[in-house]
Amino acid sequence: MYLLGVYFSKYYDWCYAFSGRNRRWVGAGLLFSWFLVFCVMASFLPGWMSVLILLAMSPFQGLFMLAFHRVWEKQDQVESGRRNQLWKTKKLLGRFEKLARSKGR
């Protein structure tokens, strides 16, 4: 059981690094392709094999989706913070500009 946890943690670390290195559409495409592969396999294989494949693929897809979500949620928060700071700076500069115009008259 310990070894399984080690493998899952290494896989999660790889997924986290992969999601951070690549663009958002690459990770979303990978998740969608896994879904398509499962649908194709499920349509051609007997039901019991489809269930086994689903049980084998689900933990890895779930870990990838978790890492993908965490990376992009963090990057979205950083980008939102940058936008908010830029908006505040523009607003402050606008106030100083109005103040300079009113004192110059």
Side-chain angles (χ1 to χ4, degrees):
M1 200 63 177
Y2 171 76
L3 194 57
L4 185 65
V6 169
Y7 286 142
F8 274 148
S9 68
K10 286 185 185 221
Y11 176 71
Y12 178 79
D13 290 341
W14 177 84
C15 291
Y16 196 83
F18 178 83
S19 296
R21 272 193 317 264
N22 293 310
R23 297 187 187 272
R24 188 180 302 226
W25 64 267
V26 174
L30 191 58
L31 286 169
F32 186 68
S33 66
W34 280 342
F35 174 73
L36 287 180
V37 166
F38 173 72
C39 288
V40 168
M41 291 175 82
S43 65
F44 290 117
L45 294 175
W48 64 273
M49 285 184 114
S50 299
V51 170
L52 288 178
I53 291 170
L54 177 65
L55 291 175
M57 288 173 63
S58 294
F60 297 104
Q61 287 177 339
L63 280 175
F64 184 81
M65 204 174 344
L66 178 67
F68 178 74
H69 173 70
R70 285 186 178 169
V71 165
W72 286 103
E73 184 179 34
K74 183 178 178 182
Q75 289 186 3
D76 287 343
Q77 287 175 351
V78 168
E79 186 63 30
S80 176
R82 284 182 189 155
R83 281 193 197 126
N84 287 339
Q85 189 61 39
L86 179 65
W87 180 75
K88 288 178 184 177
T89 304
K90 284 183 179 180
K91 195 166 117 178
L92 184 64
L93 288 174
R95 286 185 198 157
F96 281 130
E97 189 177 286
K98 285 180 186 176
L99 183 65
R101 272 190 259 149
S102 67
K103 293 222 178 199
R105 288 187 184 171

